[in-house]
Amino acid sequence: MASLDPSEIESMPLAAIDVSDPLLHQRDLARSYFRRLRREDPVHYCADSKFGPYWSVTRYADILHVDMNHQTYSSDGTVVLDDAFFSGGHIENEVSKTSFIVMDPPHHGPRRSIVIPALSPGNIQKMEAGIRERTRQLLDSLPIGEEFDWVSEVSIELTLRMLAILMGFPFEERHKLLYWSNVQSGAPGDGVVESWEHRSAVMREIAERFTRLLNEKIDAPASADLMSVLAKSPLTQEMRPEEFLGTITLLMTGGNDTTRNSMSGSILAMHQFPDEFAKLKADPSLVPVAVSEILRWQCPVSYMRRTATENSELGGKTIRKGDKVVMWYLSGNRDEGMYERPEDFIIGRPNPRQHLTFGFGIHRCLGNRLAELQLRVLWEEILPRFDRIEVTGDPVRIHSTMFRGFSALPVRLHRS
Ligand code: HEM
């Protein structure tokens, strides 16, 4: 296990560095380990971790290479470090295996194509007015000058409102999306999932509710939401029930923690770099480039894992067939070879959309335009309303290797 003492990061033996430990991420120490690995051992082998041996790929160019070469670095079966997550014979794991994020060609493409129309730029544009309206309502209801938690009051709530619009899910039932998504990505003992049986029961409830919604949409007039798009697509009829559920839960969980944490991260970034906030306030036309920098800097998905299908060379190292290969997007986004002052939040960097936050290649995030839209609308609506969003205490980071985010962020709004 890597040391949790920051003073030991530079001196500990390279072979002892294990960046998979969620505590390193919760204490925001992983970034310092990545800096060292990029410099001294950019394709790093960890022989012994809680998840078994794995490779860490930490430089931008190498990550791009792995993500673009799906024949050699496969997504088949899993994209997380923990092999147990997708195995064990539970119903919910069978469903997870039917998500196209854990498929290679030729299975991946046709399933991805089914949801592409719902997340196309043109379709997302149709959702903008609804997202803006719900964002305005929420921001207008916030207290001025009083401390409150941005994560629960704003990030979680806005993400749910957006997901309800995307999925065509009843607005008043939106909190179920949060619960279901937490159960789907959870495990017994995490405070949400009581047992595997409990999780299976919730998965059945999700299947039942979404099948009912789909059937309602079949006869309703066509609209831009995902369930309507699925209902009107002949390809949906060919899906097995567990495949349908796998697709729904992928979209529900894929868009949840990620979007939420990018919103909270944006507040922390503007607080830690007040000159950048002032720049944005003075020139709101910078919001789109600010959004890209928020995504680079926060990087809500720290990594994606691949499995080597053959022996290959990467960064002078030999990766063997069957090895786990982890692309650390969080590290690539802070690669000194790509970015000047990579740890700083700077609005207006050259090529702002070049970050790795949404991955690259055939699995590149399908929701990227929607996530950008939500962040753009949020900041376009924040700027005329508030003069400062003060972070009043330490942010509470989540205990996760994969998701980089916050469970609490105390703030106070100021208006002159
Ligand atoms: C895939 C990040 C929001 C749906 C991915 C991947 C990443 C990612 C890193 C994997 C890329 C790869 O393996 O190359 C993010 C981040 C988001 C976000 C950081 C927000 C800031 C969303 C939203 C949705 C969504 C809002 C939809 C509701 C998906 C889907 C995939 C995916 C369906 C699988 C694509 C495939 O396997 O072909 N996302 N995502 N994501 N994301 Fe997102």
Side-chain angles (χ1 to χ4, degrees):
M1 201 230 248
S3 171
L4 293 169
D5 179 350
S7 69
E8 291 175 6
I9 293 174
E10 288 296 321
S11 58
M12 72 181 300
L14 277 171
I17 295 181
D18 170 15
V19 275
S20 72
D21 180 355
L23 260 184
L24 288 183
H25 295 263
Q26 188 171 33
R27 298 193 188 172
D28 205 20
L29 291 173
R31 285 188 294 121
S32 305
Y33 279 103
F34 288 137
R35 197 177 311 132
R36 185 164 171 216
L37 290 181
R38 283 194 302 273
R39 194 177 64 231
E40 295 179 30
D41 195 22
V43 179
H44 170 77
Y45 190 64
C46 173
D48 183 25
S49 86
K50 194 171 138 190
F51 309 110
Y54 67 95
W55 292 95
S56 281
V57 185
T58 55
R59 283 192 185 160
Y60 185 101
D62 291 333
I63 293 168
L64 206 60
H65 174 83
V66 172
D67 224 353
M68 300 293 283
N69 284 281
H70 57 266
Q71 296 90 343
T72 308
Y73 305 105
S74 161
S75 296
D76 187 28
T78 187
V79 285
V80 301
L81 262 164
D82 186 356
D83 287 330
F85 188 81
F86 285 104
S87 60
H90 301 287
I91 292 172
E92 64 279 5
N93 291 332
E94 291 307 312
V95 167
S96 304
K97 277 186 198 164
T98 58
S99 296
F100 54 86
I101 199 166
V102 293
M103 290 179 193
D104 286 339
H107 308 290
H108 168 260
R111 286 159 181 86
R112 180 175 162 110
S113 314
I114 297 175
V115 286
I116 284 178
L119 288 156
S120 67
N123 207 45
I124 283 169
Q125 214 182 356
K126 293 186 194 147
M127 298 179 200
E128 176 164 348
I131 289 178
R132 189 175 297 278
E133 188 47 37
R134 288 178 183 182
T135 304
R136 283 181 177 156
Q137 280 167 3
L138 185 76
L139 294 181
D140 285 338
S141 72
L142 297 173
I144 306 291
E146 273 173 40
E147 197 179 77
F148 66 90
D149 176 27
W150 185 270
V151 174
S152 55
E153 299 300 316
V154 184
S155 303
I156 290 181
E157 185 53 38
L158 275 188
T159 303
L160 289 179
R161 291 177 183 203
M162 177 201 78
L163 280 178
I165 292 176
L166 169 71
M167 306 194 93
F169 197 75
F171 186 62
E172 55 292 351
E173 286 180 56
R174 66 191 181 282
H175 291 277
K176 284 189 185 159
L177 295 175
L178 175 67
Y179 175 65
W180 288 343
S181 167
N182 288 343
V183 170
Q184 152 78 3
S185 51
D190 64 2
V192 182
V193 178
E194 290 156 24
S195 61
W196 291 116
E197 291 70 31
H198 168 229
R199 195 172 167 203
S200 298
V202 173
M203 294 303 288
R204 279 194 291 274
E205 187 190 335
I206 300 172
E208 187 274 321
R209 185 66 190 92
F210 276 102
T211 307
R212 196 150 42 90
L213 192 58
L214 186 79
N215 289 334
E216 285 161 17
K217 300 268 178 181
I218 288 175
D219 299 322
S223 63
D225 65 79
L226 177 81
M227 294 306 287
S228 178
V229 170
L230 286 178
K232 306 288 176 194
S233 165
L235 295 167
T236 309
Q237 310 306 322
E238 293 165 21
M239 277 177 156
R240 290 178 287 128
E242 61 273 27
E243 230 177 340
F244 169 68
L245 187 56
T247 303
I248 296 298
T249 51
L250 171 62
L251 287 153
M252 201 168 60
T253 48
N256 199 347
D257 298 24
T258 51
T259 312
R260 173 204 311 177
N261 288 323
S262 64
M263 288 190 225
S264 306
S266 73
I267 300 299
L268 188 63
M270 300 289 179
H271 174 82
Q272 287 182 355
F273 296 88
D275 291 350
E276 298 303 299
F277 176 70
K279 199 158 104 185
L280 195 61
K281 184 92 180 147
D283 181 2
S285 74
L286 289 172
V287 167
V289 287
V291 164
S292 295
E293 178 65 352
I294 288 163
L295 289 162
R296 181 196 74 87
W297 190 83
Q298 178 55 31
C299 197
V301 178
S302 299
Y303 81 88
M304 281 278 154
R305 170 237 167 134
R306 299 291 186 255
T307 309
T309 58
E310 57 188 356
N311 293 351
S312 63
E313 293 288 311
L314 186 68
K317 303 284 178 75
T318 303
I319 313 263
R320 304 216 170 268
K321 182 177 176 177
D323 284 357
K324 290 182 185 183
V325 180
V326 177
M327 303 176 285
W328 292 103
Y329 297 135
L330 172 60
S331 175
N333 272 350
R334 304 210 177 205
D335 184 340
E336 305 65 14
M338 274 298 288
Y339 298 102
E340 267 181 49
R341 291 164 51 207
E343 299 293 336
D344 291 353
F345 176 77
I346 304 174
I347 297 172
R349 286 181 181 278
N351 306 318
R353 295 191 82 237
Q354 233 176 27
H355 58 74
L356 294 170
T357 300
F358 294 123
F360 268 93
I362 62 168
H363 287 281
R364 182 170 168 81
C365 176
L366 259 179
N368 69 75
R369 300 274 173 191
L370 184 59
E372 286 175 342
L373 170 72
Q374 174 70 84
L375 278 173
R376 176 169 64 74
V377 168
L378 175 64
W379 279 94
E380 282 170 355
E381 296 301 329
I382 283 179
L383 291 176
R385 280 176 175 75
F386 313 121
D387 292 319
R388 190 173 154 222
I389 302 180
E390 177 192 1
V391 174
T392 51
D394 288 335
V396 184
R397 290 181 183 271
I398 54 175
H399 184 260
S400 166
T401 307
M402 175 161 250
F403 293 114
R404 184 160 189 266
F406 310 90
S407 54
L409 184 68
V411 296
R412 187 179 292 120
L413 301 175
H414 298 267
R415 194 186 281 157
S416 52

